[in-house]
Amino acid sequence: MQNIKLIREDFPALSRNINGKPLIYFDNAATTLKPKSVVAAMDDYYLNGAANIHRGVHRLSIEATDKYENVRKICQKFINARSEQEIIFTSGTTLGLNSLALSLAVQKLSHGDEVIVSAMEHHANIVPWQLLRERKGIVLKVLPMNDKGELETQHLEALISPRTKVLSCVMTSNSLGTINPVKHITAVAHAHGLEVIIDAAQAVAHGSIDVQDIDCDYLVFSGHKVYGPTGVGVIYGKEEKLKALPPALGGGDMIFSVTWEKTIFADGPVRFEAGTPPIAEVIGLGAALEYFMALGSENVERYESTLLKRAQAAVKRIGGLRIIGEAKEKVGILSFVIDGVHPHDIGTLLDGAGIAVRTGHHCTQPVMAFFGIPATTRASFSFYNTPEEVDFFVEKLTEIQKFFST
Ligand code: PLP
């Protein structure tokens, strides 16, 4: 990465010492660190205005509304949507997926109708559909994966029946790092008239997203995974789809008029934004996406891939280490197990060396069950990480493995 020293200065957390050692932050798939510009944008809103949006005629409210609405344009550019009217703000991927599941349930799912998800979904794209299975009697089908952690898309067509209405699939797996061929999957699903939802929670931070190219009907992501604040996320929906979709939540701001007899909903994305939204967080998200776009998603992708390759090649020399997720197309996520060492012990010992990784099932228990393991250790890389950090991590990991094997 060019100017890595300058980039790192944008993230004050990277100058901290943890347990007497410089912090090495490899927990980026859980959440990314935030650059100063994100915090400054949120501070500016809170310190110089903090007014509510849309409803006020006074200056502060108009300023806040302008800033908030401007982020729709930034998001539009970020995912190459046709219009900013296709951008809905929500609290994150989880609420985005739940809202879409509820809206689609009202719009088109009856008892016996089928929804397809993939074998590598985050719980956020499993549980909402299981709730619908309990409440409405829908059927949940699973597109399988192989031992490398790649989806067996050749089986997709056979899974689809006349009762299949929705396909909801993760773009990049958070526990395996696999990049799924979502454009192809969408094309197959569309050929059978399915609605397609893409969970881009992990994909957003590792490369470019082009919703027009993918041609999905809906796509969701969280701000905090892409260097923005927590508590904010985006639902993208094709404009014509959103026009026909009933809102999952009701309340203030999403209406045109309310009488005791009837509510007429507002037009456009605000129809799906009931109540006071996370205004500061939306503004922070705008700053984060501008930061990310200025780096260039291709540069980020290329750089993180070199970190991943360096780490993968080195850890393969550690005895008893097995990489979980060896797909051909991967982002900078390295999940692994070491014979005889519990991931939590690995995580704790790495923390002692100042290295933050994630251990556990990563909210993908069916993935863990598939590989016959309870948990992995996951190192996930960002553009602000360095090859030297990767080398130090591998050195510590080697020591840990030796310690437990003697
Ligand atoms: N989907 C994927 C692939 C994820 O990695 C995550 C978070 O780790 C989620 C969904 C849920 O995101 P959030 O907790 O921000 O709603």
Side-chain angles (χ1 to χ4, degrees):
M1 205 71 200
Q2 267 184 345
N3 300 326
I4 182 115
K5 213 167 154 280
L6 286 179
I7 289 173
R8 285 176 68 87
E9 282 171 15
D10 291 334
F11 296 83
L14 292 174
S15 314
R16 287 189 60 185
N17 274 358
I18 302 293
N19 295 317
K21 302 273 174 8
L23 169 67
I24 295 179
Y25 189 75
F26 283 169
D27 196 16
N28 295 291
T31 199
T32 48
L33 301 176
K34 320 304 170 201
K36 287 179 196 161
S37 59
V38 167
V39 181
M42 294 172 76
D43 266 5
D44 178 55
Y45 164 74
Y46 275 130
L47 297 175
N48 296 314
N52 211 331
I53 56 163
H54 293 155
R55 291 180 275 266
V57 291
H58 61 83
R59 180 65 173 271
L60 294 190
S61 178
I62 293 165
E63 278 177 11
T65 304
D66 286 349
K67 281 187 179 167
Y68 180 91
E69 290 300 329
N70 185 46
V71 180
R72 264 191 237 282
K73 295 198 190 94
I74 298 172
C75 289
Q76 175 197 352
K77 188 170 161 210
F78 179 61
I79 58 171
N80 193 32
R82 274 173 211 86
S83 146
E84 75 235 41
Q85 297 298 306
E86 300 183 316
I87 305 295
I88 298 162
F89 295 118
T90 181
S91 70
T93 305
T94 301
L95 187 61
L97 290 168
N98 275 275
S99 303
L100 286 173
L102 288 172
S103 292
L104 288 169
V106 172
Q107 188 187 41
K108 58 175 52 186
L109 295 176
S110 322
H111 191 276
D113 281 342
E114 298 164 359
V115 172
I116 297 178
V117 296
S118 85
M120 61 177 80
E121 298 306 324
H122 187 280
H123 296 165
N125 199 23
I126 300 174
V127 184
W129 304 111
Q130 288 181 334
L131 287 172
L132 287 185
R133 186 166 67 189
E134 279 167 30
R135 291 168 186 169
K136 287 202 83 159
I138 66 150
V139 176
L140 192 56
K141 289 177 153 180
V142 182
L143 179 64
M145 65 177 162
N146 64 23
D147 288 347
K148 288 188 164 167
E150 294 164 327
L151 288 182
E152 298 189 316
T153 52
Q154 71 275 22
H155 297 313
L156 178 56
E157 198 112 38
L159 266 187
I160 300 172
S161 85
R163 296 299 306 267
T164 315
K165 299 282 167 64
V166 177
L167 177 140
S168 189
C169 183
V170 69
M171 187 160 172
T172 298
S173 158
N174 63 312
S175 50
L176 305 169
T178 311
I179 303 170
N180 289 319
V182 286
K183 185 176 173 178
H184 167 70
I185 289 172
T186 301
V188 174
H190 276 170
H192 294 269
L194 276 53
E195 302 283 328
V196 177
I197 303 172
I198 300 296
D199 170 0
Q202 287 299 329
V204 275
H206 300 290
S208 64
I209 306 253
D210 184 336
V211 288
Q212 293 191 59
D213 183 53
I214 300 169
D215 195 34
C216 52
D217 302 299
Y218 305 98
L219 179 139
V220 288
F221 67 91
S222 302
H224 72 99
K225 306 270 191 203
V226 60
Y227 308 95
T230 53
V232 65
V234 166
I235 302 173
Y236 154 84
K238 281 182 180 164
E239 205 168 351
E240 71 272 16
K241 295 281 173 185
L242 292 181
K243 276 193 179 137
L245 195 71
L249 306 173
D253 219 24
M254 49 80 75
I255 56 91
F256 175 69
S257 71
V258 179
T259 64
W260 288 119
E261 289 72 38
K262 186 175 169 58
T263 290
I264 300 175
F265 300 126
D267 285 334
V270 289
R271 200 154 66 86
F272 300 93
E273 295 176 3
T276 300
I279 304 166
E281 287 76 5
V282 166
I283 292 169
L285 172 65
L289 298 185
E290 284 189 323
Y291 186 94
F292 189 79
M293 285 191 276
L295 290 176
S297 54
E298 328 71 45
N299 297 333
V300 170
E301 210 172 336
R302 206 174 318 116
Y303 181 71
E304 289 177 359
S305 165
T306 62
L307 294 181
L308 176 72
K309 286 194 179 119
R310 190 181 185 99
Q312 278 189 161
V315 297
K316 278 186 180 154
R317 292 195 283 271
I318 298 176
L321 186 145
R322 176 159 68 111
I323 295 175
I324 304 297
E326 293 194 281
K328 218 160 138 235
E329 300 294 330
K330 268 188 80 168
V331 296
I333 289 179
L334 179 66
S335 252
F336 60 89
V337 290
I338 300 181
D339 286 346
V341 196
H342 195 282
H344 289 342
D345 289 334
I346 299 175
T348 307
L349 289 166
L350 288 174
D351 181 56
I355 304 168
V357 293
R358 177 76 27 161
T359 60
H361 53 64
H362 318 295
C363 297
T364 57
Q365 283 185 329
V367 172
M368 300 296 118
F370 176 84
F371 286 100
I373 49 175
T376 72
T377 303
R378 180 185 70 187
S380 47
F381 307 120
S382 159
F383 55 76
Y384 46 57
N385 294 129
T386 65
E388 293 75 27
E389 289 181 331
V390 169
D391 295 347
F392 185 68
F393 159 72
V394 175
E395 190 185 313
K396 288 293 143 194
L397 214 50
T398 310
E399 283 172 23
I400 293 167
Q401 191 275 333
K402 280 201 182 121
F403 173 77
F404 277 94
S405 65
T406 47

